[in-house]
Each structure stands twice: as C-alpha cells, then as structure tokens.
Amino acid sequence: MHFCLFLVIVAGVFDLIKCASAKPTEAFTVRALIDGFHAKQNITIDYENQLVYVKMKKAGPSDAAIALHDFKRALVVHRDTTRNLCLVLPLSNTFEEEAQNWKAYKALKERIAPTEFMKTIGPINREVFKTFMGPRIAEHCAGVPAYWLVPRSGKERRMAAQQFMVSCCQVLKIQKK
C-alpha cells in the first residue's frame, strides 16, 4: 500500500517537473514583403507539439492563408483560404531552426518572402490523406482538396519565372496607363 502511494507521488512529481519545464505557446506578428506587397503574418509557435501556425490575409497576388508547419510529420500544410485548397510540401528545417527563424523575423521591421515556383500534383485521395497525414493535418484541410507541392525542374522554373515576369509587367503597364 505504501509502495503504491510512493509511486503515485513520484509520478506526480515528474508530471509537475515536465509541466514546469514545458515552454508556452508564443504568438507575435511579423510584416512580410511578398512580391512587392506588404502582408501582416500572425505567427503562433507551439513548443509542446512542435507546430508553427502562420495566418495571413490576402495581400497583392498572395492569397489569404493559414499554414501549419508540423515538425513531427516534417510537413508544411498551406491552406489557401482564398482558393479553398491545401498545398502540402516537406519541411527542410528542424523545429528549433524554424522557431529561431520566426523569432529573428519578429525582430526585423519586415521580412522578404521569396517567390517559389512550384507545381502541384494531385488532388490527394481523401482517405490516403487522412491516414498518412494524421488527424491534425486532416482537420486543418477539412472540406477542401489537397495537393502535393513540388519544386519545378530548372527548365520549368525558368519558364515559370518568365511567365511571372510577363504577367507582372503586364500588370505594371496597365497600372501606368
């Protein structure tokens, strides 16, 4: 009886130590410069679950979105709330690196977000998506189709960049008139 009570007390002490050492969730706002347009990004870092959420309203050519960086699954899931779809791509950083990057952006007046030229593969089968992505990601993309986002090859990237420059310049010409 005393031994059981001792085990319960020891387990309780370990739970208290774990809770005391856990980092809280941190939230802040950064200002990004995306394709020449300013966009406010609300960042939430969840240290316990190793997640980073990025929420952004529509700004210029960038759609409104909520991105979930899930480091346990090594995926970024970008829910485009303007076009109602999810884009899934692998993470290249660790949680610690990503958290440090976002904190560094917080210290800057603005960060420049690069334009990536990617292509989509999909849509991903819903059952496959739920099974392999897990419940958190499935919930994040509930009700919208999901696509894999992969880098373009060098030739495809150059062609996409040229298309982007043509459309960009057309917009500038229209604005100047």
Side-chain angles (χ1 to χ4, degrees):
M1 178 69 175
H2 293 291
F3 182 71
C4 289
L5 182 60
F6 173 74
L7 287 178
V8 169
I9 291 171
V10 169
V13 168
F14 281 117
D15 282 342
L16 284 173
I17 291 170
K18 183 180 173 184
C19 287
S21 64
K23 291 183 179 178
T25 298
E26 185 177 2
F28 52 89
T29 300
V30 297
R31 188 172 133 157
L33 184 61
I34 304 170
D35 295 332
F37 292 87
H38 292 281
K40 189 169 80 172
Q41 295 178 326
N42 297 313
I43 313 303
T44 303
I45 301 174
D46 179 343
Y47 291 93
E48 184 178 347
N49 295 303
Q50 292 193 345
L51 301 169
V52 175
Y53 288 94
V54 181
K55 295 180 183 176
M56 185 178 84
K57 293 181 179 175
K58 183 165 178 47
S62 296
D63 292 334
I66 303 169
L68 166 61
H69 300 231
D70 187 331
F71 291 87
K72 290 181 181 174
R73 295 213 177 258
L75 294 170
V76 176
V77 185
H78 180 90
R79 183 173 180 142
D80 184 322
T81 56
T82 301
R83 295 184 291 160
N84 291 318
L85 57 85
C86 271
L87 303 171
V88 181
L89 62 154
L91 268 167
S92 55
N93 291 346
T94 66
F95 175 74
E96 291 75 19
E97 291 168 335
E98 192 78 7
Q100 283 305 114
N101 287 344
W102 284 110
K103 286 186 201 175
Y105 296 146
K106 181 174 128 177
L108 299 173
K109 291 190 179 196
E110 68 184 22
R111 75 180 193 92
I112 298 174
T115 300
E116 291 290 328
F117 296 104
M118 310 286 272
K119 64 180 177 181
T120 58
I121 299 174
I124 304 169
N125 176 287
R126 215 67 200 132
E127 290 307 312
V128 170
F129 188 80
K130 286 179 188 175
T131 302
F132 290 102
M133 302 298 171
R136 187 183 321 267
I137 292 174
E139 182 181 318
H140 184 72
C141 293
V144 299
Y147 299 84
W148 286 109
L149 199 58
V150 295
R152 293 183 184 271
S153 68
K155 183 178 178 181
E156 289 176 319
R157 186 178 293 225
R158 283 189 298 280
M159 288 173 56
Q162 288 169 349
Q163 282 181 320
F164 174 76
M165 291 307 291
V166 167
S167 65
C168 170
C169 294
Q170 292 300 326
V171 170
L172 289 176
K173 287 177 187 175
I174 292 168
Q175 289 176 347
K176 286 182 181 179
K177 289 182 179 179

